[in-house]
Amino acid sequence: MPFIVAIDGPAGTGKGTITKLVAQDLGLLNVDTGALYRCVTLEVINRKLNLENKKEIIELMDEINIQIKNNNGEQTIYLNEKDVTYNIRKKEVNDLVSEISNISEVRQKITKLERGFGKKQDIIMEGRDISTHVFPNADIKIYLDATPEERAKRRLLQNQEKGIDIPYEEILHSINKRDENDKNRKEGPLKLAEDAILIDTTNMTIDEVKKEVEKIINNKYNKKIKNQEIKKTSIKKDAYKQTKVKLIIRKIIKILIYLFYCIIYRVKVLNKQNIPKTGAYIICANHVKLADPPALVVTAKRHINMIAKEELFHNPFLAWLGYIFDVIPVKRGVQDIEAMKRSLQVLKNDELLALYPEGTRNGLKKNNGKVKNGAAFIAARTGVPVIPVGIKGSFKPFTKVIINYGEPLDFSRYQSKQPEKENLEKISKEIMDNIIRLTNE
Ligand code: DC
């Protein structure tokens, strides 16, 4: 079940900014539901539909396709394949959106769309009725509030920065009007859910609110994981035990996959000698395709303990393979203490640990050149050297795949129990620079 964070509250409480920042920090999918109502409103304006003619507006709902693409928490909104991220914030849309969002059929369709987002992955969704109506069983419900005067003041400052000149009184009036409309509509009104946590942001900075929200999410997330783990402890306990049967099965599967990769993918390994025969090392590669982690594991002479996203373990066959190969499942987007403990144990045992600093396939491209600092953190925490690996190839049958190992990189100069972010970024950069160089050699 995905983890769902619902953030509700009136306009001007900083919901949008907070949600975006938290999504970026914790790797959650950010869904701004106001944008969905804004898309419908923009289409009503584009088609010059009469507001009195509800039938036409309702019919329109079957003809529009709204998509949200997320890039590191930043949303791009597409309406019928056209990027409308900026157009939906125009004044004409602002003036009409509340009225459009009062139409019951519009709300039903948008609600269906919103629930669809929560089926696939962990999300943070902001709006008015997320805690009360869209996801009444959300893992976390937060209601952000602030006095109308404070919200009007914030909007005035925002407008001034953008060179928009609307008097304070007019802004305050518009905020009060929208509050009234949002709170008093029949369907999906804005209200504080019984089990929601109220944060009054009137005297708080954005950073303070963000920290508070992240604290709430991290506490709850870790508790949820702990509960799941308590249920699974009997499996977990033996998960990494090296039984004879397990080692034999691993050897057989390793040979089979190795043959398959050599014949079908024509995998070639360069500079294998860069993996020393003994001792702890962290192996960091670029992540191209789903097929590349097994390629690393089956072509290496030493056993590689791979870290992989926990979602893979939802598939029983992959979970079994994970068990055979001692794969360490990691929850993405939060601090997964169990995964970290196991990783440190692997290195303590003088074994090889492999992970992808990009976090996800082609993560460097997807996140505009930024990578996760997980690998860097383990390197800095333990002082264990990192072996960079460049993987080149498309993993299409009978084309070539090259795995190129670089020389171990020593980061022991940064070793610390609590490494600084600045150093982690330096380490991540050096690792990625080496990986990129190795893919181009
Ligand atoms: O958050 P926003 O200002 O972009 O929202 C625009 C309008 O959409 C707002 O006036 C109320 C409406 N809305 C809603 O009715 N339900 C939601 N879940 C989100 C927004």
Side-chain angles (χ1 to χ4, degrees), residues 8 11 15 32-35 37-38 89 94 97-98 101-102 107 114 126-130 134 178 182 185 188:
D8 288 303
K15 269 184 302 143
D32 160 14
T33 60
Y37 289 96
R38 287 172 179 272
R89 307 278 157 202
N94 279 349
V97 62
S98 201
S101 63
N102 276 353
R107 298 205 72 81
E114 291 164 346
E126 58 122 331
R128 305 291 190 284
D129 57 345
I130 313 304
V134 183
R178 264 201 359 189
D182 289 343
R185 75 168 143 255

Side-chain angles (χ1 to χ4, degrees), residues 5 79-80 82 92 96-97 113 121 124 159 189 210 212 233 273 279 286 310 317-318 373 391 411 421 430 439:
V5 181
L79 171 60
N80 293 337
K82 209 176 135 208
E92 303 92 284
L96 215 66
V97 62
L113 189 65
Q121 66 179 95
I124 181 162
N159 285 348
K210 185 189 92 156
E212 181 70 29
T233 37
Q273 76 283 358
N286 56 321
E310 193 252 355
F317 176 65
L318 292 181
N373 283 334
I391 303 181
F411 295 113
K421 197 168 173 215
E430 195 172 329
T439 55

Side-chain angles (χ1 to χ4, degrees), residues 258-277:
Y258 178 76
L259 290 175
F260 178 83
Y261 270 63
C262 287
I263 298 166
I264 305 295
Y265 292 142
R266 305 249 187 255
V267 174
K268 200 171 165 209
V269 184
L270 304 179
N271 302 314
K272 247 183 190 178
Q273 76 283 358
N274 282 332
I275 306 185
K277 288 200 177 81

Side-chain angles (χ1 to χ4, degrees), residues 48-210:
K48 301 191 173 59
L49 299 184
N50 185 345
L51 274 196
E52 301 305 313
N53 193 343
K54 295 264 157 54
K55 193 164 164 273
E56 272 186 349
I57 298 177
I58 294 163
E59 278 169 9
L60 164 95
M61 295 304 293
D62 289 327
E63 294 164 28
I64 58 172
N65 172 21
I66 305 172
Q67 282 179 310
I68 300 185
K69 299 221 168 116
N70 246 266
N71 192 352
N72 200 17
E74 200 78 53
Q75 285 193 135
T76 312
I77 318 284
Y78 294 89
L79 171 60
N80 293 337
E81 264 87 62
K82 209 176 135 208
D83 181 352
V84 293
T85 316
Y86 294 102
N87 284 353
I88 56 169
R89 307 278 157 202
K90 281 184 176 166
K91 185 173 180 312
E92 303 92 284
V93 177
N94 279 349
D95 291 344
L96 215 66
V97 62
S98 201
E99 217 171 313
I100 298 288
S101 63
N102 276 353
I103 304 172
S104 170
E105 287 82 354
V106 171
R107 298 205 72 81
Q108 283 160 18
K109 283 264 167 163
I110 297 286
T111 300
K112 211 167 144 198
L113 189 65
E114 291 164 346
R115 288 184 179 145
F117 286 113
K119 281 194 186 136
K120 294 179 217 130
Q121 66 179 95
D122 296 347
I123 58 168
I124 181 162
M125 185 176 275
E126 58 122 331
R128 305 291 190 284
D129 57 345
I130 313 304
S131 313
T132 51
H133 179 61
V134 183
F135 290 116
N137 296 322
D139 294 278
I140 292 175
K141 300 177 179 182
I142 292 176
Y143 188 98
L144 295 183
D145 209 351
T147 60
E149 291 74 18
E150 172 63 23
R151 289 186 277 135
K153 219 162 73 188
R154 290 177 190 170
R155 187 52 47 90
L156 181 77
L157 282 175
Q158 264 175 6
N159 285 348
Q160 280 170 352
E161 275 165 21
K162 290 184 198 153
I164 303 170
D165 185 25
I166 306 176
Y168 171 82
E169 290 306 327
E170 200 176 309
I171 298 175
L172 183 61
H173 175 72
S174 148
I175 279 186
N176 280 328
K177 208 172 124 204
R178 264 201 359 189
D179 279 3
E180 168 123 353
N181 197 343
D182 289 343
K183 285 178 181 169
N184 294 318
R185 75 168 143 255
K186 267 204 210 118
E187 218 169 302
L190 167 66
K191 67 172 186 212
L192 177 69
E194 267 176 26
D195 47 352
I197 298 168
L198 170 72
I199 303 179
D200 182 352
T201 70
T202 307
N203 296 311
M204 290 170 87
T205 63
I206 290 282
D207 197 49
E208 283 168 344
V209 183
K210 185 189 92 156

Side-chain angles (χ1 to χ4, degrees), residues 293 305-309 326-330 339 343 353-356 378:
N305 297 268
M306 178 73 72
I307 297 185
K309 61 180 176 187
D326 295 336
V327 176
I328 305 167
V330 65
S343 305
L353 177 77
L355 73 160
Y356 293 102
I378 299 177

